[in-house]
């Protein structure tokens, strides 16, 4: 998936690019009847093309890496929840205590993702930028 964005900030060899989030209907409000007020979102990428502030660039997402990241984001908390729930039932806890342990497992899953997020942010493996003509 490729998006267009405008370079808004430079910081060493990184650039912050403002991209407009795409709505669920693709921006065709007549089709879905909803409101397509999509906010701009800043994305930090390596500035491999020496882009300047105000320049329009093309953001290229690596779909395989995006799919892996999506799976991680959804599956790790779910696994924590289910493992907590399973462990609580194996220890014959009451339903309320089992739910509490499952929620703690879910939170641990989110914490694991938070720790791994630093690696993804540092390596910028999800997107690259190219000049837009």
């Amino acid at each position: 998936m490729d998006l267009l964005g405008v370079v808004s900030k430079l910081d060493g060899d990184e650039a912050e690019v403002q991209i407009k989030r795409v709505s669920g209907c693709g921006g065709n409000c007549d089709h879905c009847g909803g409101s397509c007020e999509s906010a701009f979102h800043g994305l930090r990428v390596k500035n491999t093309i020496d882009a300047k502030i105000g320049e329009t660039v093309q953001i290229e997402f690596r779909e395989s890496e995006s799919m892996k990241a999506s799976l991680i984001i959804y599956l790790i908390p779910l696994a924590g929840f289910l493992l907590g729930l399973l462990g609580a039932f194996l220890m014959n806890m009451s339903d309320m205590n089992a739910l509490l342990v499952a929620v703690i497992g879910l939170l641990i899953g989110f914490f694991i993702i938070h720790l791994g997020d630093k690696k993804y942010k540092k390596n910028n493996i999800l997107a690259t930028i190219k000049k837009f003509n």
Side-chain angles (χ1 to χ4, degrees):
M1 171 174 62
D2 294 345
L3 296 172
L4 295 180
V6 177
V7 177
S8 63
K9 185 178 172 185
L10 297 173
D11 185 17
D13 66 341
E14 293 184 348
E16 183 171 307
V17 180
Q18 295 294 318
I19 57 174
K20 188 171 184 176
R21 290 183 184 230
V22 179
S23 63
C25 66
N28 185 359
C29 293
D30 293 334
H31 176 70
C32 72
S35 67
C36 291
E37 294 181 22
S38 298
F40 283 91
H41 177 71
L43 178 69
R44 293 184 67 86
V45 294
K46 291 260 188 228
N47 189 3
T48 57
I49 60 170
D50 196 30
K52 308 290 185 237
I53 293 177
E55 191 172 348
T56 301
V57 294
Q58 182 176 357
I59 310 262
E60 184 179 84
F61 288 93
R62 298 182 193 138
E63 291 192 31
S64 63
E65 292 295 330
S66 296
M67 289 299 291
K68 279 190 235 176
S70 295
L71 284 173
I72 289 169
I73 288 171
Y74 289 110
L75 289 181
I76 289 178
L78 179 63
F81 181 84
L82 292 176
L83 286 173
L85 193 61
L86 178 66
F89 279 119
L90 289 176
M91 292 188 290
N92 293 325
M93 292 184 171
S94 69
D95 288 348
M96 286 305 293
N97 287 339
L99 181 61
L100 180 65
V101 171
V103 169
I104 290 171
L106 179 76
L107 294 175
I108 289 171
F110 283 128
F111 182 70
I112 290 169
I113 289 173
H114 175 72
L115 293 177
D117 188 44
K118 292 178 184 178
K119 173 189 161 203
Y120 273 84
K121 283 183 181 178
K122 185 176 181 181
N123 294 334
N124 294 309
I125 63 171
L126 295 180
T128 57
I129 61 172
K130 298 189 288 189
K131 293 247 184 219
F132 178 71
N133 298 347

